[in-house]
Amino acid sequence: MHFTYCPHCGMKLVQKEIGDEGQISYCEGCKIPLWDMFTTSVICAVVNEEDEVALLRQNYVSATKYVCIAGIMKLGENAEDTVVREVKEEIGIDVTSLRYMHSYAYEKKEMLMLGFYAAAKKKEFTLSGEVDAAVWVPLSAAPAKLREGSIAWQLVNEVILERRR
């Protein structure tokens, strides 16, 4: 989010040199800098004991490619709790352990996505209303089902590379 007006007093912002940050939007009324904001979200590769990853089909995202489970962090929620909640909400699976992997800037949607590896026991999915389909896919076959270069594709490939080490 790029501020043009101060969210506190409504005054039009000016550009001001702020230390080594360069030109930053600044409210002369409140005497505060206002940095651009982004939404923080999580994305996770949910992997079961058979080395399969859970992939989703959400037709509002793509009718041909799958995605990993992802979601927006709520106020007061940490990233780990968001992963556990999103996995349970979207596919009805309990996370048994999780580990932070990597962060991804998603400029198109003004988001910072925090990538996680989440372990879970294999079972049938219980899908939320925002998920059209979900499948367990062998990790090695998963990149071909994801949009090449996407954040989900990058995350799954990082998991695969890590497994080879």
Side-chain angles (χ1 to χ4, degrees), residues 2-153:
H2 305 285
F3 290 106
T4 303
Y5 295 91
C6 178
H8 305 288
C9 71
M11 182 179 275
K12 185 159 177 68
L13 302 175
V14 298
Q15 294 297 300
K16 182 176 179 177
E17 188 81 24
I18 306 287
D20 61 2
E21 298 297 324
Q23 294 288 315
I24 301 294
S25 296
Y26 186 82
C27 177
E28 292 181 321
C30 296
K31 306 288 186 224
I32 58 170
L34 292 157
W35 280 268
D36 292 339
M37 296 176 64
F38 53 84
T39 301
T40 307
S41 61
V42 298
I43 184 167
C44 56
V46 179
V47 180
N48 67 28
E49 66 277 9
E50 295 177 22
D51 260 2
E52 297 170 319
V53 63
L55 298 181
L56 309 181
R57 174 73 52 76
Q58 294 174 301
N59 291 334
Y60 72 89
V61 175
S62 172
T64 60
K65 293 291 181 180
Y66 285 85
V67 296
C68 287
I69 295 167
I72 305 296
M73 288 177 60
K74 295 179 178 180
L75 284 177
E77 189 175 53
N78 66 44
E80 293 80 5
D81 289 343
T82 304
V83 170
V84 170
R85 176 181 53 78
E86 286 291 340
V87 172
K88 186 69 169 180
E89 283 176 4
E90 292 191 5
I91 60 173
I93 301 274
D94 293 315
V95 171
T96 57
S97 68
L98 72 135
R99 182 171 33 85
Y100 173 77
M101 295 284 292
H102 192 96
S103 64
Y104 307 89
Y106 188 12
E107 291 181 47
K108 178 180 172 186
K109 299 240 179 160
E110 295 181 344
M111 292 178 132
L112 173 65
M113 298 193 84
L114 305 176
F116 285 85
Y117 167 90
K121 298 285 185 206
K122 184 174 183 175
K123 70 175 208 173
E124 289 200 30
F125 300 115
T126 304
L127 304 182
S128 79
E130 67 182 73
V131 176
D132 296 299
V135 292
W136 287 112
V137 176
L139 264 173
S140 60
K145 294 192 173 294
L146 302 165
R147 187 177 54 78
E148 187 173 345
S150 69
I151 292 172
W153 182 87

